[in-house]
Amino acid sequence: MNKFSSIFENRHDYARDWKKRSGGKVLGYYCTYFPEEVAYAAGILPVRILAKHFPDDTTDRLMYGNCYVTRDMFNQFNLGHYDYIDGLVCLESCQWWYNAFDVTMQVFPNLWSHYLFTPDYPDGNRSKDVLRSELSVIQKKFEEWTGKTVTDAELDNAIEIYNTNRRLLRRLYELRRFNNPVILGSEAMEIMLANQVMDKAEANKMLEELIPELEDRAPGEDRVRFILIGSETYDAELEKLIEGVGGNVVIDDLDNGSGYVWNEVVPLKDRLMAIGLRYLGKPHSALKDNVWRRRPEQIFRLSEDFQVDAAIIAKQIYCHPHGTDMYAVWKLLQERKIPYHTFERDTTLPYEETRLGVEALIHVAKQGMTRANGWS
Amino acid sequence: MSTNQLWETKPLEIWDRAKALRAYWQQSIDDSAADTKLLLAHGNTGDVSWRDYFSNLNIIEDNPVGAMMASTSDEFSRKSRLASEVRGWGREICGYVQNCWGAQFLGYQQDGSVFPYRDLSVPFTDPCDQHTKRGQQCMDLSPIPRWGGDWPIYLGEDDPARDKELIETRVWCTLKIIADIERIFDTEFDDASFINDIKTERERSDHGIRIMNLMTKTPSPLSQKDLYSFYTLGGLTRLPPEILGDFWQALIDEIQWRADHQIAAVGNERYRYMEAHPSPWHFLKYMRYLEHYGAVCIGSQYSQMMAGSVSWNKETKEFERRVIRKPEKDVENVKTREDAVRYVLTEARGHRFKDDEYFRKNEITDFAEGFGVQGAILALWRGGVGCTLTRKEQGLRLSKMGVRVLHYEGSQPGDRTDLDEKRFLDQIDEWMECQGLQKIS
């Protein structure tokens, strides 16, 4: 467990070390719709750009109205934290991410870069064809960049490694479905985030060692079970706060949480099509939950499967995709009588007011509890 | 002519026609609830105006509706936004969207009449996150038919093969929407008129380029405030093409005459400034305030979008149509619906989502050079991401070429909440005075 926490905390050192060991290139990306398998097959380490809170006296010159996450992403480039990144890829997704990519490229024009179109309407009949075409383009770009031709065998290997990683991380989620789960939400989230900055082959080995250890753990304390919904998270501070007042996040509907691992690539002869279909078929992000909605249904399924007592919706200030999608989530939670608490945050957590809100929610959830094991 | 007047000026004769169009548009909204026609939400389908060729389709764009609400009734637009916010919509969401769909939740419009509930919705991804999601409120309300017209783009070097695949996706989406509307609503698309209008479309959009070029002249024959009205009425309100054709012809004739005779929009023009994206629609009077200093706003990248995709020719000193991709078939050989859709979308590749963001910052200096501006007022809007993206970068680029930049903050062009009007005017005073300009009228 501590190994993952340590890698997550020292993720820049991990990537520098990986580069030294492998001689490969490191590619930064922003959005969970990025098809990492194609980069990995080309010998590139895809690293998710993660925000943290650092004093910021530079981003205001080029940014306005951005969420603090995207400001910090740019800030960290300016501070030199991402000096090991060789290239950046931007997707058709949240515009603040696009802006972080754009200003970073202006200040660091020598970085390799690529814009990958990922359909905004993932269920559209032709979305698979256009994404397949875009994957073919980015594969060629990677080949030019690295001077290495990507073979089918390498794509198969990457698909297998990534599928294994998803399966292993899903096992962590399954452990959280039990009553009194053996793993806390904060521990699980740190593992999830560490996996997004690691070489998946190395992460898989660590997970294969860790999961049996977790399964041997004694059941955890009885806690109020939460689902965490909202903007992507970049640390486990909220989960820790919830645990501090008697709760536990047992499931999430976050893009870089369950959304990162919920479905696998189904192998096909056309490898790029198979990869594309996996990303189009993943649980919708808020921005891409358009036309006929899927996200509320997914949230409800997760809530049932993981027997949640209440929901926490944490939205980044200035997060437009979640600002426009919260309506559907509130409607669902109200209809299904799931108590919830919504709050806004930035790269820091407003600790006291959040704690008060969570405590109040726990009191509401406990009063209404009808679960078989009940509360004293 | 007063002592401070530098140019002859004259009220625009076309205002009466513009007001009639405005009334026509308002009436079409007011009648919509009772109208038997299908009511389309959005339909802001970019370069293929398929919406005009279904005879039983009314279109209401939420952007002009939301802007009008904020402009005419702060009380009602606040009430509407609150109706959205209490249902979970974020505070930073576009004011247009919040106003329009908040009224849907209330169930009535500003005048108390029944809210015209939409029968179908076609949101699309151009040009911001809010556009991608803005059809959601009416779609969540009831199971109306809905489509997503993906808007595939890429940045970086030109790649014809890649482009072709992206164009075909857009062609497919457009054809699918048209065919589905025909099937679901048992209605007919007027292919003959559509194809015919494609052939004359160039002439109509050339008017926009001509107006743009005429506004580079000194004195400027139109100001931004006038232009906003014409741009909105002539484009965003989606009036029938036959009405608009006549309107644009009359407009271009009058502006040409004004330019030829040096008839100014602002009689004391001695300072030219530009903008980038929409101004606060409820407070356009700051433009009149700036006229006391002899300052005229010659437009913005937003209002000049009426010209379509253009680029500045540094040699001829004129704005020209930008055609990145030539359609495979000449316009004369466009025979079918599919030909027509592909033709328009291929030619339109120069103005797409993200390209827009690219052009905004990289070509703003060309815009400033073309219009010969000394200053730029660039709003920083906290809501509606597309209204703000790249604004700071634009300011830096303009400053570097010697254009004096004023930023001011507010919520969103359709949301009055955070715009401090007095402070804004104070900022303008300081901005003008620090450039050595005093009020002259």
Side-chain angles (χ1 to χ4, degrees):
Chain A
M1 181 70 69
N2 284 337
K3 272 192 196 170
F4 280 111
S5 298
S6 169
I7 288 172
F8 173 59
E9 277 307 308
N10 304 294
R11 51 189 176 269
H12 302 305
D13 292 336
Y14 172 86
R16 286 187 193 102
D17 180 58
W18 180 91
K19 219 170 148 172
K20 211 167 156 186
R21 281 187 279 126
S22 67
K25 293 183 187 300
V26 179
L27 177 73
Y29 72 96
Y30 298 94
C31 174
T32 41
Y33 279 85
F34 174 60
E36 291 180 61
E37 290 89 337
V38 185
Y40 194 81
I44 297 163
L45 176 66
V47 166
R48 191 181 175 95
I49 306 294
L50 296 174
K52 206 174 174 180
H53 176 69
F54 288 100
D56 173 8
D57 56 4
T58 58
T59 66
D60 209 37
R61 187 172 160 77
L62 285 163
M63 292 170 143
Y64 179 87
N66 294 59
C67 67
Y68 290 90
V69 161
T70 51
R71 279 180 179 262
D72 188 72
M73 288 169 170
F74 176 45
N75 188 33
Q76 287 197 64
F77 272 89
N78 292 329
L79 293 170
H81 298 175
Y82 280 115
D83 56 3
Y84 55 88
I85 293 274
D86 300 296
L88 269 179
V89 65
C90 183
L91 271 60
E92 167 58 36
S93 57
C94 160
Q95 274 180 300
W96 292 142
W97 270 330
Y98 165 74
N99 191 232
F101 163 79
D102 186 40
V103 294
T104 304
M105 290 310 303
Q106 281 183 51
V107 177
F108 302 95
N110 293 329
L111 286 173
W112 180 92
S113 72
H114 185 75
Y115 188 94
L116 175 80
F117 177 75
T118 41
D120 276 307
Y121 302 100
D123 313 323
N125 304 46
R126 209 173 184 281
S127 295
K128 60 183 184 311
D129 304 301
V130 75
L131 186 55
R132 166 70 179 75
S133 160
E134 285 292 282
L135 294 185
S136 163
V137 171
I138 201 170
Q139 181 180 323
K140 285 197 191 83
K141 295 276 179 188
F142 285 149
E143 289 174 344
E144 285 166 16
W145 188 33
T146 59
K148 175 181 178 307
T149 304
V150 176
T151 63
D152 281 349
E154 283 161 335
L155 278 172
D156 288 340
N157 181 51
I159 289 170
E160 181 51 34
I161 287 174
Y162 271 76
N163 273 350
T164 302
N165 186 255
R166 291 176 185 121
R167 234 169 280 145
L168 290 165
L169 289 170
R170 272 298 295 269
R171 281 175 67 184
L172 284 187
Y173 275 95
E174 292 302 300
L175 290 176
R176 296 159 76 189
R177 287 176 72 165
F178 297 173
N179 295 337
N180 309 95
V182 291
I183 180 169
L184 289 168
S186 60
E187 295 173 309
M189 184 49 74
E190 286 189 351
I191 295 170
M192 285 299 298
L193 293 172
N195 270 263
Q196 289 166 48
V197 294
M198 289 181 72
D199 181 328
K200 293 290 191 286
E202 292 174 13
N204 290 350
K205 277 183 198 156
M206 284 170 60
L207 284 168
E208 277 159 5
E209 286 171 18
L210 174 68
I211 291 170
E213 287 174 23
L214 291 174
E215 286 176 326
D216 286 341
R217 273 187 180 179
E221 291 172 35
D222 204 8
R223 292 167 178 274
V224 175
R225 299 167 69 90
F226 285 100
I227 179 170
L228 177 59
I229 302 166
S231 310
E232 300 197 354
T233 190
Y234 296 93
D235 56 41
E237 292 308 305
L238 176 59
E239 286 85 343
K240 286 175 186 165
L241 182 151
I242 291 168
E243 288 154 17
V245 293
N248 186 20
V249 174
V250 293
I251 183 62
D252 64 75
D253 178 64
L254 303 179
D255 267 0
N256 58 353
S258 65
Y260 187 66
V261 297
W262 222 245
N263 64 336
E264 295 183 13
V265 177
V266 178
L268 296 171
K269 187 179 172 194
D270 183 343
R271 277 82 173 169
L272 295 182
M273 179 61 91
I275 292 170
L277 289 173
R278 184 267 161 191
Y279 284 88
L280 293 174
K282 75 186 269 308
H284 283 180
S285 70
L287 183 65
K288 294 185 190 286
D289 196 31
N290 295 309
V291 190
W292 296 104
R293 281 187 174 281
R294 289 188 185 184
R295 194 163 164 256
E297 180 60 30
Q298 170 74 358
I299 290 171
F300 182 61
R301 274 189 64 180
L302 294 175
S303 302
E304 287 235 300
D305 291 349
F306 287 76
Q307 304 168 63
V308 305
D309 301 311
I312 296 277
I313 305 171
K315 174 182 158 291
Q316 283 286 334
I317 298 169
Y318 296 128
C319 176
H320 295 82
H322 284 278
T324 36
D325 233 40
M326 226 156 33
Y327 164 75
V329 178
W330 281 15
K331 192 163 176 272
L332 165 90
L333 297 172
Q334 285 164 6
E335 281 170 3
R336 310 297 163 106
K337 311 295 180 208
I338 300 172
Y340 64 92
H341 171 62
T342 301
F343 75 100
E344 290 186 307
R345 64 172 298 186
D346 53 28
T347 46
T348 59
L349 191 65
Y351 196 87
E352 282 306 316
E353 65 188 66
T354 309
R355 186 176 59 79
L356 275 173
V358 175
E359 279 182 343
L361 183 61
I362 283 178
H363 286 301
V364 172
K366 270 185 174 178
Q367 278 178 1
M369 288 283 288
T370 54
R371 243 190 27 234
N373 59 352
W375 287 82
S376 58
Chain B
M1 190 183 282
S2 80
T3 48
N4 291 319
Q5 191 159 345
L6 302 170
W7 313 97
E8 188 180 342
T9 188
K10 188 176 183 294
L12 279 159
E13 287 175 9
I14 201 167
W15 270 123
D16 287 342
R17 291 180 70 166
K19 285 175 186 168
L21 276 191
R22 163 78 178 80
Y24 177 94
W25 173 68
Q26 187 65 51
Q27 195 60 48
S28 71
I29 293 176
D30 295 345
D31 293 345
S32 305
D35 208 322
T36 53
K37 282 185 174 181
L38 296 167
L39 195 54
L40 169 65
H42 316 296
N44 190 359
T45 46
D47 301 289
V48 183
S49 303
W50 52 261
R51 56 190 174 263
D52 299 330
Y53 304 97
F54 283 107
S55 59
N56 59 341
L57 209 60
N58 258 356
I59 302 137
I60 301 184
E61 285 285 343
D62 47 11
N63 284 11
V65 168
M68 188 57 70
M69 284 170 67
S71 184
T72 53
S73 172
D74 189 30
E75 190 187 347
F76 186 67
S77 59
R78 272 177 178 275
K79 198 173 179 179
S80 300
R81 284 198 301 280
L82 184 62
S84 280
E85 286 178 24
V86 297
R87 285 166 175 82
W89 279 60
R91 288 169 297 168
E92 64 277 79
I93 301 310
C94 169
Y96 305 146
V97 172
Q98 294 267 39
N99 290 346
C100 179
W101 300 120
Q104 172 191 261
F105 289 127
L106 295 174
Y108 56 90
Q109 304 188 91
Q110 196 173 321
D111 62 0
S113 60
V114 176
F115 181 87
Y117 294 97
R118 281 31 170 190
D119 297 303
L120 63 160
S121 176
V122 189
F124 76 120
T125 56
D126 179 43
C128 82
D129 290 349
Q130 301 292 275
H131 281 234
T132 308
K133 298 293 288 180
R134 70 184 186 155
Q136 210 77 60
Q137 290 219 26
C138 60
M139 295 195 289
D140 284 340
L141 190 78
S142 65
I144 55 172
R146 73 275 311 265
W147 292 266
D150 240 322
W151 198 267
I153 55 92
Y154 64 97
L155 292 176
E157 64 200 52
D158 185 32
D159 182 341
R162 187 180 182 185
D163 219 27
K164 189 168 179 10
E165 193 63 35
L166 303 184
I167 291 167
E168 284 308 308
T169 293
R170 187 99 184 93
V171 170
W172 193 94
C173 286
T174 306
L175 292 172
K176 163 98 174 138
I177 292 167
I178 296 171
D180 279 357
I181 291 175
E182 284 184 312
R183 174 177 60 84
I184 294 169
F185 295 102
D186 192 22
T187 183
E188 207 167 304
F189 183 78
D190 184 352
D191 285 298
S193 299
F194 177 50
I195 292 165
N196 185 56
D197 283 0
I198 297 288
K199 294 180 180 178
T200 55
E201 168 64 25
R202 172 65 65 87
E203 188 186 322
R204 285 207 302 274
S205 64
D206 278 351
H207 288 161
I209 300 177
R210 276 180 67 193
I211 292 173
M212 197 173 175
N213 279 317
L214 289 170
M215 287 184 71
T216 64
K217 312 290 181 206
T218 303
S220 179
L222 279 186
S223 77
Q224 167 81 327
K225 197 167 180 295
D226 311 315
L227 190 60
Y228 268 143
S229 300
F230 302 131
Y231 170 59
T232 306
L233 284 171
L236 299 181
T237 52
R238 309 294 169 205
L239 294 165
E242 64 277 10
I243 296 178
L244 285 182
D246 291 347
F247 177 74
W248 279 99
Q249 188 57 56
L251 181 64
I252 188 76
D253 290 346
E254 184 168 357
I255 298 172
Q256 181 71 58
W257 182 85
R258 288 170 75 94
D260 292 345
H261 295 82
Q262 290 202 308
I263 306 296
V266 175
N268 58 3
E269 176 184 325
R270 61 173 178 163
Y271 182 92
R272 295 162 72 88
Y273 69 96
M274 61 179 281
E275 298 187 333
H277 252 57
S279 323
W281 297 106
H282 68 281
F283 193 62
L284 293 178
K285 65 174 74 163
Y286 74 89
M287 293 181 181
R288 291 282 178 256
Y289 185 76
L290 273 148
E291 289 173 11
H292 293 305
Y293 289 94
V296 60
C297 182
I298 51 71
S300 65
Q301 285 177 308
Y302 180 78
S303 56
Q304 303 289 6
M305 274 195 282
M306 67 182 177
S309 181
V310 295
S311 57
W312 173 243
N313 186 326
K314 288 181 188 297
E315 287 174 11
T316 61
K317 303 287 181 198
E318 285 206 330
F319 288 98
E320 294 173 350
R321 177 184 305 282
R322 184 204 320 269
V323 178
I324 291 180
R325 192 77 53 225
K326 196 174 177 305
E328 283 174 17
K329 282 188 179 176
D330 290 334
V331 71
E332 294 75 29
N333 294 322
V334 168
K335 305 282 184 213
T336 64
R337 180 189 303 177
E338 186 173 337
D339 286 349
V341 169
R342 186 169 288 110
Y343 179 87
V344 178
L345 286 170
T346 305
E347 199 179 40
R349 291 296 292 167
H351 185 76
R352 296 159 297 162
F353 177 40
K354 295 292 188 305
D355 274 355
D356 175 38
E357 289 167 9
Y358 176 82
F359 293 143
R360 274 187 203 184
K361 63 178 193 295
N362 291 296
E363 298 194 352
I364 194 149
T365 48
D366 285 352
F367 191 94
E369 186 188 321
F371 285 101
V373 301
Q374 291 98 44
I377 298 183
L378 306 180
L380 297 173
W381 299 119
R382 275 197 277 279
V385 54
C387 289
T388 285
L389 205 71
T390 73
R391 202 67 66 239
K392 285 286 190 81
E393 296 165 68
Q394 289 182 320
L396 288 174
R397 281 166 200 256
L398 290 168
S399 296
K400 206 173 168 186
M401 69 180 284
V403 173
R404 302 295 293 267
V405 175
L406 171 69
H407 285 301
Y408 65 97
E409 293 181 283
S411 299
Q412 200 269 343
D415 180 352
R416 295 186 185 198
T417 311
D418 288 336
L419 180 70
D420 185 335
E421 293 161 13
K422 287 193 173 60
R423 182 172 184 270
F424 181 28
L425 295 183
D426 285 345
Q427 279 185 281
I428 287 173
D429 286 337
E430 282 203 29
W431 186 57
M432 287 277 101
E433 285 165 17
C434 77
Q435 295 178 76
L437 293 158
Q438 299 291 326
K439 284 182 185 166
I440 52 174
S441 64

